[in-house]
Amino acid sequence: YAMLLSLIFLIVLVAAIVGFVFRHEIKANFETNLNLALKNYNTTVDQHSDAVDTIQRTLHCCGIQNYTDWEKTKYFAQRGIPQSCCKSQDDCPEGDLKDLSKAKLKVFVDGCFFLVTSKMESKMSVVAGISFGIACFQLVGIFLACCLSRYITNNQYEMV
């Protein structure tokens, strides 16, 4: 049991170290995938398009750096900026979404990349604290399992 807990502890420790060391690569990968999702954005049921819509609605943002990122997409040429960027769904006609100067007043102007990464970084201290607490409990468990094993081994020799 102590060996199993030690193995789990080491796996969690390695995962935490790898996440910390490669955090910049994770950001770059996220930005690349967000660019790809915007480029391939469409109105059909698609996981990437749904994810972009959810991020934009939840964080009140639009595009990657700002709302003008949509201008470079195929979707913008057909339908303008997506409805998920609108500040108010009631006051966001499709004609206004095709014109960037009119859309500026109707949509969120901040980009999503900065908001997502800043949200993740702000929550990292909570995740790190919880992980540290779990690691402490695992270390206590490893120590107690070793003590129990030693106690059982010592008692077997006394019984004979």
Side-chain angles (χ1 to χ4, degrees), residues 25-81:
E25 285 80 1
I26 293 169
K27 275 185 177 179
N29 194 18
F30 174 69
E31 187 174 17
T32 302
N33 286 329
L34 193 57
N35 268 319
L36 189 62
L38 253 67
K39 182 181 174 188
N40 297 327
Y41 184 87
N42 57 28
T43 55
T44 60
V45 179
D46 181 283
Q47 291 177 345
H48 301 291
S49 299
D50 288 342
V52 169
D53 285 337
T54 302
I55 289 170
Q56 291 181 151
R57 276 192 201 103
T58 306
L59 296 178
H60 304 292
C61 60
C62 189
I64 299 164
Q65 302 302 327
N66 58 37
Y67 73 103
T68 59
D69 293 332
W70 283 103
E71 188 178 23
K72 303 170 198 138
T73 64
K74 293 177 190 174
Y75 183 83
F76 182 83
Q78 297 169 354
R79 304 194 63 195
I81 297 173

Side-chain angles (χ1 to χ4, degrees), residues 100-148:
L100 287 179
S101 60
K102 290 180 184 177
K104 184 176 184 175
L105 303 171
K106 308 274 182 174
V107 299
F108 303 112
V109 292
D110 296 329
C112 294
F113 177 72
F114 176 74
L115 289 174
V116 169
T117 55
S118 63
K119 275 273 193 209
M120 285 182 358
E121 288 172 357
S122 70
K123 302 295 180 191
M124 281 300 185
S125 60
V126 173
V127 171
I130 292 171
S131 299
F132 181 72
I134 291 171
C136 287
F137 278 114
Q138 282 182 317
L139 289 174
V140 168
I142 292 168
F143 174 74
L144 292 176
C146 289
C147 289
L148 179 64

